[in-house]
Structures are given as structure tokens and as C-alpha cells.
């Protein structure tokens, strides 16, 4: 028998949106994933869009039908389906989020629905906040719940040393707020999906 939705462990998926060689995004994601792993409310794992290597959307049928014809789509569907909450680690490119992230969202519909989404953004003076505002419109369209707390990291290049992200206290505190809010909403939304709420 499947465990009762309110007590079964929840799966948090952290998605690395930047795919370029030399990116700092992976170091930010490694930091956040380590924090999430210390948090007992979630089983946490990272999906790196560079490693997932989805081609530009190449399914012939609308994703809402779930009639997938490609193994990469089935793999992505399985990962997202098994997730209870998401954290998108995103840079800001030209005032928006990077194209591979939109591509990854567009592949699926039902698998995203009624799950909370959080953002850790970084960039120059704007800290990736313009990318997050844009992204919130997209995730809401997929019926994810974009939560209020975010981690916003300005001047990211000054905080990466020898390939590692060096967070300040403010980032650590923001990460905790994000994880708290995700845990609260993810639990309720899982009951919503199971029809027990
Ligand atoms: C194509 C491109 C566009 C960028 N546009 C912005 C921008 O609009 N705002 C900003 O704050 N930084 C911008 N930057 C600087 C990035 O914040 C910085 O390069 C950061 O390291 C990118 O994340 P990544 O290394 O994980 O790819 C841009 C960088 C690139 C490569």
C-alpha cells in the first residue's frame, strides 16, 4: 500500500538552468542542494539541464496528452512526476531566464501541476530578479505555485572563489526561508494532488 501522503518523504528537485561552459550556476546549485540535504523535510536531488541535455522541444503531440515518443521526454517526465517541489537555480540573461529552462518547462504539463516552485537567482546588480519575475508567469501557467521567498544573489562573480560559491549570512537565511515555505506548501499540495484535501 502506498504511504499516506502526509507522512511519505517528499522529493525536492533542484534544477540547474545555466548550461554554458564556465558557468557559476552549478556552484550555486551545489550550495543550495547541500543546504536542502541538511533539511529533514525533503529527500533532495539535483537535475542539471546541461547533463539532462534535452534537445529543443521535439515531441509531435501536445505535452498535456502525455503521448511521448522520445526516451529523453520519458526520462524527464519520470523525474518531474516523482518530485513534490522544485527549486530553479537561474541566472539572468538579457533581463530574462535562460532558454534551456523554458525548453525544459515546455516539454511537460501535468507533471508540473500543483507543486510549489522556488527560485534562487543571481546576476549583476539586479541579482537575477528580472528573470524570476518572468519565470513566475510561466510556472503559474503550468499550475505550479511560485512561492514568495526567494534567494537573490547580486554580483555573483564576486562570491565565487576557486569554483565554489561563498554565500553570506543573508543567503543562508534566505535559503532557510525558501526551504521552510516549500515544505509547508509541498505537503498541502501533495494532498491536493491525491484528492485528500
Ligand atoms: C548571455 C548573457 C546575458 C547576460 N545578461 C545579464 C543580465 O541581463 N543581467 C545580469 O545581471 N547579468 C547578465 N549577465 C551576466 C551574468 O549574470 C553572469 O555572467 C553569470 O555568471 C551568468 O550565470 P552562469 O555563469 O551560471 O551562466 C549575462 C551573461 C550572459 C552570458
Amino acid at each position: 500500500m502506498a504511504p499516506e501522503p502526509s507522512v511519505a518523504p517528499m522529493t525536492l528537485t533542484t534544477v540547474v538552468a545555466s548550461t554554458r561552459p564556465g558557468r557559476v550556476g552549478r556552484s550555486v546549485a551545489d550550495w543550495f542542494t547541500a543546504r536542502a540535504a541538511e533539511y529533514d523535510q525533503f529527500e533532495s536531488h539535483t537535475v542539471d539541464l546541461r547533463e539532462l541535455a534535452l534537445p529543443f522541444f521535439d515531441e509531435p503531440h501536445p505535452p498535456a496528452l502525455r503521448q511521448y515518443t522520445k526516451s529523453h521526454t520519458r526520462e524527464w517526465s519520470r523525474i518531474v512526476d516523482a518530485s513534490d517541489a522544485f527549486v530553479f537555480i537561474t541566472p539572468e540573461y538579457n533581463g530574462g531566464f535562460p532558454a534551456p529552462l523554458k525548453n525544459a518547462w515546455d516539454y511537460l504539463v501535468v507533471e508540473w501541476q500543483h507543486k510549489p516552485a522556488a527560485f534562487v537567482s543571481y546576476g549583476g546588480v539586479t541579482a537575477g530578479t528580472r528573470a524570476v519575475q518572468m519565470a513566475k508567469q510561466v510556472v503559474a501557467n503550468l499550475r505550479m505555485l511560485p512561492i514568495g521567498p526567494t534567494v537573490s544573489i547580486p554580483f555573483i562573480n564576486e562570491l565565487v572563489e576557486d569554483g565554489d560559491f561563498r554565500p553570506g549570512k543573508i543567503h543562508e537565511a534566505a535559503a532557510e526561508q525558501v526551504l521552510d515555505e516549500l515544505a509547508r506548501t509541498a505537503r498541502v499540495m501533495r494532498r491536493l494532488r491525491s484528492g485528500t484535501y
Side-chain angles (χ1 to χ4, degrees):
M1 201 169 78
E4 207 273 312
S6 61
V7 294
M10 296 192 293
T11 299
L12 174 65
T13 299
T14 298
V15 177
V16 188
S18 170
T19 58
R20 70 180 185 91
R23 65 205 168 137
V24 301
R26 181 70 209 213
S27 64
V28 177
D30 288 345
W31 160 71
F32 190 86
T33 306
R35 286 297 160 278
E38 291 163 5
Y39 197 84
D40 62 5
Q41 299 289 310
F42 291 111
E43 287 177 356
S44 164
H45 72 123
T46 301
V47 174
D48 188 333
L49 292 187
R50 179 164 156 179
E51 290 163 10
L52 194 68
L54 290 168
F56 269 140
F57 181 58
D58 62 353
E59 286 287 346
H61 308 297
L65 298 177
R66 300 185 84 167
Q67 292 173 6
Y68 305 134
T69 64
K70 305 283 190 328
S71 58
H72 55 254
T73 315
R74 286 191 283 271
E75 183 195 359
W76 186 218
S77 167
R78 184 188 54 73
I79 293 168
V80 174
D81 217 18
S83 304
D84 293 296
F86 303 96
V87 177
F88 299 101
I89 311 285
T90 186
E92 182 173 294
Y93 286 171
N94 300 309
F97 52 78
L101 185 54
K102 182 66 161 57
N103 191 47
W105 281 325
D106 288 345
Y107 260 92
L108 310 172
V109 173
V110 178
E111 296 87 335
W112 297 116
Q113 287 180 355
H114 300 141
K115 297 176 180 177
F119 292 91
V120 174
S121 70
Y122 54 90
V125 67
T126 55
T129 52
R130 294 179 299 178
V132 172
Q133 289 310 107
M134 265 181 139
K136 282 183 171 179
Q137 294 182 36
V138 179
V139 299
N141 210 59
L142 285 166
R143 296 203 218 169
M144 279 183 264
L145 174 71
I147 65 164
T150 57
V151 184
S152 311
I153 309 166
F155 305 116
I156 183 68
N157 292 319
E158 294 173 15
L159 298 174
V160 176
E161 286 172 29
D162 303 324
D164 290 330
F165 173 55
R166 312 279 184 206
K169 280 187 186 156
I170 196 165
H171 307 121
E172 300 283 7
E176 209 174 309
Q177 278 191 359
V178 163
L179 287 163
D180 280 346
E181 185 81 356
L182 276 179
R184 289 162 68 93
T185 51
R187 202 163 290 290
V188 172
M189 294 186 89
R190 184 160 62 177
R191 289 184 63 192
L192 182 69
R193 294 197 303 283
S194 71
T196 57
Y197 198 74

